[in-house]
Amino acid sequence: MRSTYSAPRRVAVVGAGMVGLSTAWFLQDRGVEVTVVDREGVAAGSSRGNAGWLTPSLSTPLPDPAVLEYGIRAVLSPASPVYVPPTLQLDLVRFAVSFARHSTARRWRRSMRALAPVNRLSLAAFDALRDGGVTGETYAAEPFLAAYRREEERRVLVEELQHVAEAGQDVELDLLTGEEARRLEPALSEEVGAAVVLHGQRFINPRVFVQRLADAVRERGGQIRERTPVTRVVDRPDGVRLLGTAGDVGRFDAVVLANGTWLGELARPFGVRTLVQAGRGYSFNIPVEHLPAGPVYLPAQRVACTPLGDRLQVAGMMEFRRPDAPLDPRRIQAIVDAARPMLRGADFSDRRDEWVGSRPCTPDGLPLIGPTTSRRVHVAGGHGMWGIALGPVTGRLVAETLTTGRTPPELTPFDPLR
């Protein structure tokens, strides 16, 4: 006799970043009682210092052939946009080898086809949050500029965007000369000789948005328990128990692990073998004479600039390192050295909120979303640089999976047991 699926009534979400809180909100939308627990607090991890881009056209797999072009000597340099410190840490060595193996054009295109369906749904998920009462704002990124020194440098991004379009996404762009780019955005310096304008993108202030999302979860009756580290998940006949440093955190009908870089520690007993490595990013904010109207991307330097309030947030770097390692001032200086020539009227001496955070990265560049060997233990993480952009659509699809017992086809490539 075929068993019927019993939807959970009480669900715990481990992790209070964009992915975890979005999952909690969409579960509430389906009538589920939720409790969110976090080792620190709301937006305390990689959600806090993120560039805040909602850019389906740029939400692409992190392992790509350009990474391999840096070469071994380059990635070992603290000034490199992609940095792997010399290490004997076995997991990091394994991750780096697997990451390099996936950094081919063929595998990138295959991963891009997997990401395209969720990218197409990503902005609509933000609209659903807004329509449901979440007061965090999204802003139209008009213009969204990618700036280069020379026209030939631009070719890499243009070809990548062609592949994104071939994967089934809408991509609308214009190509500009340096002079045209400066007329559109006076914050660009004379060093800029070519640019790409992307249309249909958005951005947010990630720290504010995630806090507003947390407020909405609380207003709907959800609990958010901060400074509550979870060290173990136990699947028992009477439910899933969360155990922490202070003892029993609680019993629930199901749990969603959305705890970023630390996802693997809790998910491994449930068959999740894919390594989740901290890909640390750095950011700070500065004053500028002319605040850009929208985001400015410096692809060759791998630097992202976002107007937040009355200052410009400057973010960049991909540093594969332990998540608890201290901020490395050399990485901040590398961003300064890379961005300064490309911007006009930017005061890099007045830096505030210097920050480092750990993006959860997988070797194949695809997130881990869905049920594990236990249908009561689900994971939602490993989004790399795109946890902000893909957090709401991830939450919506995870909530659908948990409440119906059926995994949406969009999540098939992200099977945590792959």
Side-chain angles (χ1 to χ4, degrees):
M1 183 176 177
R2 187 177 178 181
S3 62
T4 59
Y5 179 74
S6 178
R9 292 177 296 176
R10 296 180 66 249
V11 174
V13 179
V14 182
M18 178 67 95
V19 176
L21 289 167
S22 295
T23 301
W25 191 93
F26 280 103
L27 282 169
Q28 289 176 314
D29 217 37
R30 289 173 170 263
V32 177
E33 179 185 334
V34 297
T35 298
V36 181
V37 296
D38 194 277
R39 66 203 304 269
E40 295 182 50
V42 172
S46 58
S47 292
R48 179 186 159 210
N50 192 281
W53 292 0
L54 314 182
T55 50
S57 297
L58 293 176
S59 297
T60 59
L62 180 61
D64 68 64
V67 173
L68 294 186
E69 290 175 7
Y70 287 117
I72 297 299
R73 184 173 291 183
V75 299
L76 294 177
S77 167
S80 170
V82 180
Y83 176 49
V84 182
T87 181
L88 296 176
Q89 185 183 345
L90 182 58
D91 277 354
L92 180 52
V93 172
R94 288 172 51 210
F95 176 87
V97 170
S98 183
F99 185 91
R101 194 172 66 247
H102 284 93
S103 297
T104 66
R106 181 179 63 85
R107 295 194 181 198
W108 185 93
R109 286 194 291 269
R110 183 176 65 187
S111 296
M112 189 65 244
R113 289 193 296 271
L115 283 171
V118 291
N119 282 343
R120 289 195 296 268
L121 297 172
S122 60
L123 295 181
F126 277 91
D127 294 340
L129 293 175
R130 177 201 61 205
D131 295 343
V134 177
T135 58
E137 291 189 63
T138 67
Y139 307 96
E142 293 291 350
F144 184 105
L145 273 169
Y148 295 87
R149 281 191 167 93
R150 297 179 300 278
E151 187 175 324
E152 54 267 28
E153 291 180 328
R154 184 175 62 187
R155 191 175 302 117
V156 175
L157 179 61
V158 173
E159 290 177 356
E160 182 176 289
L161 291 170
Q162 289 172 346
H163 292 308
V164 171
E166 290 167 3
Q169 290 183 222
D170 292 330
V171 178
E172 184 182 353
L173 61 87
D174 295 315
L175 303 182
L176 304 182
T177 65
E179 185 178 346
E180 290 170 333
R182 279 186 292 279
R183 281 203 300 266
L184 186 61
E185 183 46 74
L188 297 176
S189 77
E190 294 292 330
E191 287 286 315
V192 174
V196 177
V197 179
L198 280 175
H199 301 287
Q201 315 301 300
R202 304 185 200 174
F203 68 101
I204 62 172
N205 184 322
R207 191 182 313 187
V208 172
F209 192 98
V210 175
Q211 289 288 350
R212 298 280 176 83
L213 182 55
D215 293 342
V217 169
R218 290 189 180 104
E219 288 166 5
R220 289 172 148 205
Q223 291 187 46
I224 299 179
R225 298 170 60 179
E226 302 180 276
R227 291 176 291 282
T228 306
V230 174
T231 56
R232 189 178 171 206
V233 178
V234 182
D235 188 9
R236 295 178 177 173
D238 63 341
V240 180
R241 288 193 173 273
L242 303 184
L243 304 178
T245 53
D248 195 339
V249 176
R251 181 182 64 81
F252 304 89
D253 299 325
V255 62
V256 179
L257 304 178
N259 55 326
T261 303
W262 293 270
L263 186 150
E265 297 175 11
L266 298 181
R268 195 166 294 115
F270 300 96
V272 179
R273 296 290 181 262
T274 300
L275 290 172
V276 179
Q277 170 63 41
R280 302 193 336 151
Y282 287 73
S283 69
F284 52 85
N285 63 69
I286 57 172
V288 289
E289 288 180 9
H290 183 281
L291 190 69
V296 173
Y297 182 28
L298 307 175
Q301 292 78 17
R302 295 196 176 233
V303 172
C305 305
T306 310
L308 299 181
D310 61 352
R311 292 171 71 89
L312 186 68
Q313 177 157 297
V314 183
M317 301 297 164
M318 179 60 68
E319 179 187 59
F320 293 126
R321 205 171 190 174
R322 295 191 338 268
D324 55 351
L327 181 148
D328 187 342
R330 298 174 300 174
R331 309 299 287 154
I332 296 288
Q333 189 60 47
I335 297 174
V336 171
D337 293 342
R340 178 183 276 134
M342 305 293 285
L343 298 175
R344 183 184 66 80
D347 185 0
F348 284 93
S349 66
D350 184 11
R351 298 192 299 274
R352 298 180 188 173
D353 294 331
E354 292 187 351
W355 172 88
V356 61
S358 296
R359 315 174 188 103
C361 300
T362 60
D364 61 4
L366 298 179
L368 305 168
I369 310 171
T372 64
T373 52
S374 168
R375 68 178 186 176
R376 297 191 293 192
V377 180
H378 290 234
V379 300
H383 293 79
M385 297 187 297
W386 307 115
I388 289 290
L390 298 180
V393 67
T394 296
R396 183 177 74 75
L397 295 173
V398 169
E400 180 181 338
T401 304
L402 269 169
T403 55
T404 66
R406 298 185 300 272
T407 301
E410 294 89 352
L411 293 186
T412 300
F414 313 137
D415 183 356
L417 304 180
R418 65 179 184 270

